[in-house]
Every structure is written in C-alpha cells, then in structure tokens.
Amino acid sequence: ASSSFVQVRSTPKENLKCGGTLWWAIRGGLMASGENVSINLSSVQNIRKAVLIAAILFGVVFLLIGESRWPSGTFVHEGVEWVGLILIVACIIGRTFCTLYIGGRKIDRLIVEGPYSVTRNPLYALSVVGAAGAGAQLGSIALALAAGIVVYFVFLLVALKEERVLADRFGESYREYLDRVPRFLPDFSLWRDVDKFEVSPRLVRTTALDACVFLLSIPLAEGMEYLHDLGLLPTLITLP
C-alpha cells in the first residue's frame, strides 16, 4: 500500500497561496530542483491571472450593456440568482474547510486526506462553483455557465502543468494518487480522514475572506440592474 503522505518542502504561507492540491508542493519542493520548472509554472500562473482578469472585464462590460432575458422580479430570474447565492456560499464554506487540511500544516507533506482524498484540486473546483454563482447574479443561466466554464479551463491548464511536474518529481507514489483520485469532480466513496491535524486560524480566516470576494457580485449586479431599469444604462444584449 502506498504511503498517505509524500515529503515536500513548503511553508504555510505558500500553502495558502496555492489554490490547488499541488501548487504549494511545487513552489516549495521543486523550486530547488531547477529554475526552468519555476519559470514554466510561473508563466502558467501569469496566463491564469490574465485570462481571469479578461473574464472579469467581460463580465463588467456585460453588466453595462446587457441584461437577463428574464426581467428582474420574475420567478426564473430570482430563482437563478438564489441558486447562484447557494453556489457562492458553498464555495466559501468549502474553501475554508479545505484550508483546515492544507493551510495549517507545520510538517511539510503532500496532503491526500479529507477533501484531497476525493478530488486532487478541491480549491480549484470550488472556485469554479463560486464563479458560476457570481455569474448567476444577473439572473442569467448562460452567463453563469460561461463564467464557470472559463474558470474551469483556466484552472485545468494549471492542474495539467502541475501533474506533469509532480509525476516526474515523485514518481510512482504520485502516479498512484493521480490514477486513484479524480482531478476535479469529487468521488466521495474515496473519502478518508485523519484523527487530528493542526489548524492555523489566521490562514483559515484569510481563505474565508478571500472567497467572500464572490459575494461582491451580488450588490454589483443589483446596482446595474437598477440602472438598467431606470434607463440610465442601455440594453444591447440579452441572455437566457
């Protein structure tokens, strides 16, 4: 049977900054093994940030000139917004829960228990959920799906790069984990836990506050809808 942990070098601060199962391990454990690895992964992260910024800008533009096909106050419009709110809350709670496992470790390990036993990238997956929830705040199913899909492919690019690097670094132990645990969609039948672990309240609090950024989509969307209703903003695009 393979070991539950793989020794790596990292810090709690790096653990928090990751966002995926393995980014913190790459930053801490692989940087010393070659500058090319660090440069390649840094470029992937830069691409991720650029695409996410472009997606946010697109969303802002749509807020200025677009509306949901279903008028504000209708059953479908309000229903989509409420479902989106549930997704955002699930993202915040889920990301905070994941940080309990990965954010407070004093011993440097590749974590494969708790949420990391059912999906290799729970923080990435939950970000996709949060993005879809934010997109739903205009009452548009299409915009919610578009936001989720864009964020999914951005994090897929990062995850694929991480997998190649760590497969070379950790060999058979990591490949076994790769074969057993899904990349994003969780398989809860694989769940396994630990008896106890150390928690960093500061890191948990920071992660929760970071995830709360998705909540900003609510007042932003409501404000734009109000301006559209007043006729102060044009409606050039409507989406279902």
Side-chain angles (χ1 to χ4, degrees):
S2 62
S3 174
S4 296
F5 301 103
V6 177
Q7 295 291 330
V8 298
R9 296 169 54 195
S10 70
T11 66
K13 182 177 181 181
E14 288 169 336
N15 293 350
L16 176 65
K17 287 182 178 179
C18 63
T21 311
L22 307 171
W23 179 243
W24 61 274
I26 295 172
R27 293 275 305 208
L30 300 184
M31 192 170 294
S33 67
E35 293 183 359
N36 289 336
V37 171
S38 177
I39 293 173
N40 290 338
L41 292 174
S42 178
S43 65
V44 171
Q45 290 294 320
N46 289 334
I47 294 173
R48 173 182 68 84
K49 293 176 182 178
V51 174
L52 289 177
I53 290 173
I56 292 172
L57 292 176
F58 172 79
V60 171
V61 170
F62 180 81
L63 287 172
L64 293 173
I65 64 174
E67 283 189 292
S68 170
R69 180 175 298 176
W70 301 291
S72 179
T74 61
F75 176 79
V76 175
H77 185 105
E78 299 301 319
V80 172
E81 288 185 350
W82 275 103
V83 170
L85 177 59
I86 293 173
L87 294 178
I88 292 174
V89 172
C91 169
I92 295 171
I93 295 175
R95 285 181 60 87
T96 303
F97 178 67
C98 292
T99 306
L100 295 175
Y101 284 81
I102 198 170
R105 296 280 185 167
K106 291 185 177 180
I107 300 176
D108 302 326
R109 293 170 174 174
L110 176 65
I111 299 171
V112 296
E113 284 81 21
Y116 295 88
S117 67
V118 298
T119 171
R120 301 197 301 273
N121 301 283
L123 292 173
Y124 287 171
L126 287 163
S127 293
V128 174
V129 172
Q137 293 312 304
L138 273 181
S140 169
I141 297 175
L143 190 60
L145 291 175
I149 290 172
V150 169
V151 173
Y152 167 79
F153 279 107
V154 170
F155 284 124
L156 177 62
L157 173 65
V158 178
L160 289 173
K161 186 66 176 179
E162 293 173 352
E163 290 170 8
R164 290 194 296 270
V165 173
L166 287 181
D168 292 338
R169 173 68 175 178
F170 297 114
E172 190 60 33
S173 296
Y174 174 71
R175 279 189 284 271
E176 187 276 332
Y177 177 66
L178 199 73
D179 293 337
R180 179 171 53 85
V181 179
R183 178 180 292 119
F184 290 119
L185 191 64
D187 181 355
F188 291 102
S189 66
L190 299 175
W191 178 272
R192 59 181 180 179
D193 216 332
V194 291
D195 293 331
K196 60 181 179 179
F197 52 80
E198 296 183 9
V199 176
S200 171
R202 179 181 59 83
L203 296 180
V204 173
R205 182 170 59 251
T206 301
T207 298
L209 291 175
D210 287 345
C212 285
V213 170
F214 288 112
L215 291 173
L216 295 177
S217 63
I218 299 175
L220 180 61
E222 292 298 324
M224 292 298 181
E225 286 180 358
Y226 180 70
L227 294 177
H228 279 288
D229 292 340
L230 293 178
L232 298 178
L233 290 177
T235 302
L236 305 180
I237 303 173
T238 58
L239 292 176

